[in-house]
Amino acid sequence: MVTLKEARTKSELKQFVKFPFALYKDNPYWVPPIIADELASFDKTKNPAFENADAWFFLAVRDGAVVGRVVVIINRLETNDQAIKKVRFGWFDFIDDTAVSEALLNKVAEIGRQHHLDYMEGPVGFSNLDKVGVLTEGFEHIGSMITWYNHPYYKAHYEGLGFVKEKEYMENKFPASNADPKLFIKLNDLIKRRYGLREINFTKTKDVMPMADQMFDLFNKTYSKLSSFVPITEVQKAYFKKKYISFINPEYIKFIVDKDHKLIAFSIVMPSFSKALQKARGKLFPFGLYHLLKAKRSSKDVYFYLIGIHPDYQNKGVTAIVFNEYYKTFSKKGIQMCYRTPELEENIAIKQMWKHFDPVVYKRRRTYRKDLS
């Protein structure tokens, strides 16, 4: 018999975070999180997402052993301000037993109905900067620190329990050598002259921080029309600056400004930490931090994490400036492979942006929904 237990205490939340370590033990493709970071993101005193969201953490238990988990999330910016009557769920993992997955999803539905919501969707996080989607193709490729990995049977559980596809995401990759400078060097000069633009490169993280708020404002403007969008609040800006910007190589952050020094485009690339996180095994000490710092310095694979372009400058060739700067940086650092984080299938603009690099779709993932009526 499966029973559900709400994880409230620190030790229970640690059980919650550590469950996938058992579920994916010896899986060569799963990338573990840093346990302390995961716990901090679930701490209401540390993660500002809780200022606008409520969350419940549930463990599925059978014969004294944890066999599944789920976070139930209600984002009030979404349900109240945007009038999207959705209950979110994420961090959803379970053994291959429908009794377990069904019990957890029934709890999501129960909380959704209690709050008079119309449907449930997952797996998703608190915001657009969290992980998203259940993997449906590409199980033979290593995961990343910014995506969830899962067993192939997850998809069958969703569909067997009456869920339908809500959003489809693609993950692409291409060798850095596919970036032919002839495609963007001339255009780079033309666009900069035409619109009075210039690039800003960084060598120190402290130089990025004064412009980081502008970047998050531009992020909100860039992605506001996508169906999954929830804006980043002022408090979250400070949190993400501390959590992400300080962790990223400053030379991998590119800003484009206009003649008035107003930010009109940005891009963030991250080195691949996948192998380093596997070696760390969820802990920074004694050796995890060493592996992460080594990857930060010397990884030959990178992930394009975010690109944002002001709506007034979209489809005007501004990406040529961004790619030109990365070409110079990647050539200097010997980058070999470029990966892109999950992108909505409906985002035609992003497909156009990358078409000249001959990207290959190597993973697909999706969110699922189910009506609560």
Side-chain angles (χ1 to χ4, degrees), residues 308-324:
I309 299 174
H310 193 285
D312 291 348
Y313 286 90
Q314 290 175 11
N315 303 313
K316 291 184 177 178
V318 173
T319 50
I321 308 173
V322 175
F323 294 146
N324 187 58

Side-chain angles (χ1 to χ4, degrees), residues 95-324:
I95 64 170
D96 192 7
D97 185 332
T98 306
V100 175
S101 55
E102 185 173 24
L104 289 163
L105 290 170
N106 282 347
K107 177 57 72 172
V108 180
E110 177 189 320
I111 291 174
R113 291 191 186 100
Q114 286 171 355
H115 289 81
H116 311 292
L117 301 176
D118 295 336
Y119 70 100
M120 51 200 284
E121 181 187 356
V124 293
F126 294 97
S127 77
N128 297 72
L129 292 179
D130 285 322
K131 298 175 183 181
V132 66
V134 60
L135 192 65
T136 57
E137 294 178 23
F139 302 101
E140 72 281 12
H141 297 284
I142 193 168
S144 74
M145 71 180 293
I146 43 186
T147 55
W148 281 309
Y149 184 84
N150 56 265
H151 289 302
Y153 62 77
Y154 279 38
K155 179 175 182 283
H157 279 246
Y158 280 102
E159 294 174 0
L161 292 169
F163 283 75
V164 296
K165 182 181 80 170
E166 175 69 353
K167 301 180 184 77
E168 186 87 11
Y169 296 82
M170 300 177 298
E171 293 180 54
N172 293 265
K173 65 177 182 177
F174 58 89
S177 57
N178 281 14
D180 184 350
K182 293 197 296 288
L183 294 171
F184 45 78
I185 285 180
K186 285 185 179 179
L187 186 58
N188 161 71
D189 294 333
L190 175 66
I191 298 301
K192 284 199 287 190
R193 287 197 308 270
R194 178 177 292 173
Y195 300 110
L197 307 178
R198 64 182 177 87
E199 71 281 355
I200 299 180
N201 289 297
F202 301 96
T203 57
K204 296 178 181 177
T205 301
K206 68 180 180 65
D207 295 332
V208 181
M209 293 302 186
M211 295 187 68
D213 283 351
Q214 280 193 62
M215 181 186 72
F216 287 120
D217 288 340
L218 183 53
F219 173 84
N220 282 342
K221 287 178 183 172
T222 302
Y223 292 94
S224 61
K225 292 183 180 178
L226 293 180
S227 57
S228 61
F229 184 75
V230 177
I232 297 171
T233 65
E234 292 298 318
V235 180
Q236 285 176 312
K237 289 178 190 176
Y239 174 75
F240 288 130
K241 276 194 287 188
K242 183 178 179 182
K243 183 174 181 179
Y244 292 111
I245 303 299
S246 60
F247 201 65
I248 299 168
N249 308 44
E251 65 268 30
Y252 287 163
I253 299 174
K254 308 294 183 185
F255 286 177
I256 312 297
V257 295
D258 65 13
K259 63 183 186 308
D260 299 317
H261 200 68
K262 181 181 176 183
L263 187 68
I264 63 96
F266 73 90
S267 180
I268 296 177
V269 164
M270 299 176 70
S272 173
F273 291 105
S274 299
K275 295 287 188 182
L277 285 166
Q278 287 183 329
K279 291 174 183 175
R281 299 180 180 178
K283 297 178 181 179
L284 285 178
F285 303 101
F287 303 115
L289 186 59
Y290 165 78
H291 293 305
L292 290 169
L293 290 174
K294 184 179 178 183
K296 184 177 179 179
R297 287 192 306 269
S298 57
S299 176
K300 301 303 178 187
D301 297 340
V302 295
Y303 281 84
F304 277 84
Y305 181 47
L306 284 176
I307 290 184
I309 299 174
H310 193 285
D312 291 348
Y313 286 90
Q314 290 175 11
N315 303 313
K316 291 184 177 178
V318 173
T319 50
I321 308 173
V322 175
F323 294 146
N324 187 58

